[in-house]
Amino acid sequence: MENLKIWLKKNGSTAVLTVLFIILLVNKDAKAWLMRQVASTGILNSGISDAKETKNTSSHASYNGFILKNEDGTMIDVSALQNKVIFINFWASWCPPCRAEFPSVQKLYDQYRNHPDFVFLTVNLDDNVSLGKSYLKEKGFTVPFLVSAGNIPDVLYSGSLPTTVVLDKKGEIRLHHKGLADYSKDSFYKQIDELLNEKP
């Protein structure tokens, strides 16, 4: 016991860092918290591209067949959402970067939830749907809980979580971001407002 006390006095900071590292490895919420601190700097964020840029690329795709289902079983055909700005976030409850960015996703939802030209689609990709629902309930998130009712077009999602896509009123992809980001920044709200003000 005496040897342990001597070792801790000499190596206290190492012991503390080791314990913190183990907590980060094991605890999803601890990982999410650390990632959230990094994301809050904004260095991981992507910006919404200019409409002129999307005309020169193949960013417009057919979303026919991309159907989502809400908790009530109502089907949403994404290709039928005309003249709307659409925010799509693919996430899973087991994914630490998804957990890290979710508070900012909730803030974005709160900011635009009542806007008639803004559609918010948070698509859960948990193998067990109840895990995603439980996560939202446990954390007090109120974003729409949606699951895919068929195939997801590769142009929107290719396997990386989280993935966020923003479509403009013409259905053009104006943002396609793989990985963690902070969607609660005023600079991002300004970009969304600019999209909302564009004519279809």
Side-chain angles (χ1 to χ4, degrees):
M1 188 67 173
E2 193 61 37
N3 288 340
L4 179 61
K5 286 181 184 177
I6 292 169
W7 185 87
L8 283 173
K9 280 184 182 179
K10 289 182 179 178
N11 301 294
S13 60
T14 302
V16 169
L17 288 173
T18 302
V19 169
L20 288 174
F21 183 70
I22 290 169
I23 290 170
L24 287 173
L25 282 177
V26 177
N27 188 300
K28 291 178 194 167
D29 287 331
K31 281 185 208 171
W33 177 86
L34 181 62
M35 290 176 181
R36 193 172 306 120
Q37 303 320 301
V38 173
S40 69
T41 65
I43 61 172
L44 302 175
N45 291 6
S46 293
I48 291 176
S49 62
D50 188 53
K52 293 173 191 168
E53 293 174 35
T54 60
K55 286 180 182 174
N56 299 325
T57 64
S58 58
S59 63
H60 185 75
S62 170
Y63 309 116
N64 289 335
F66 182 34
I67 311 290
L68 300 173
K69 183 169 68 171
N70 70 13
E71 289 186 82
D72 300 330
T74 304
M75 299 295 186
I76 300 165
D77 182 349
V78 176
S79 65
L81 299 172
Q82 300 294 316
N83 303 324
K84 309 275 187 190
V85 173
I86 304 172
F87 178 90
I88 308 170
N89 181 264
F90 298 96
W91 68 281
S93 65
W94 51 263
C95 161
C98 301
R99 286 173 170 251
E101 76 176 9
F102 230 89
S104 76
V105 172
Q106 178 67 49
K107 285 180 185 173
L108 179 70
Y109 176 67
D110 292 341
Q111 181 83 7
Y112 291 98
R113 71 190 306 164
N114 296 319
H115 197 291
D117 294 332
F118 191 81
V119 177
F120 203 88
L121 306 174
T122 41
V123 184
N124 179 260
L125 298 177
D126 277 298
D127 290 334
N128 181 346
V129 173
S130 65
L131 295 175
K133 288 181 183 178
S134 296
Y135 171 71
L136 293 185
K137 186 175 180 183
E138 173 193 333
K139 299 298 181 185
F141 295 130
T142 59
V143 298
F145 184 84
L146 302 164
V147 295
S148 177
N151 293 329
I152 301 171
D154 289 341
V155 70
L156 297 179
Y157 175 72
S158 59
S160 295
L161 287 176
T163 292
T164 300
V165 179
V166 175
L167 306 176
D168 67 13
K169 291 180 179 179
K170 295 177 183 174
E172 301 284 343
I173 295 174
R174 299 289 289 277
L175 171 77
H176 193 281
H177 183 82
K178 295 177 184 178
L180 170 65
D182 185 343
Y183 299 106
S184 64
K185 298 283 187 195
D186 287 339
S187 56
F188 188 70
Y189 294 164
K190 183 179 176 191
Q191 292 176 35
I192 292 292
D193 290 339
E194 288 170 2
L195 283 185
L196 289 167
N197 290 329
E198 286 181 4
K199 295 197 178 184

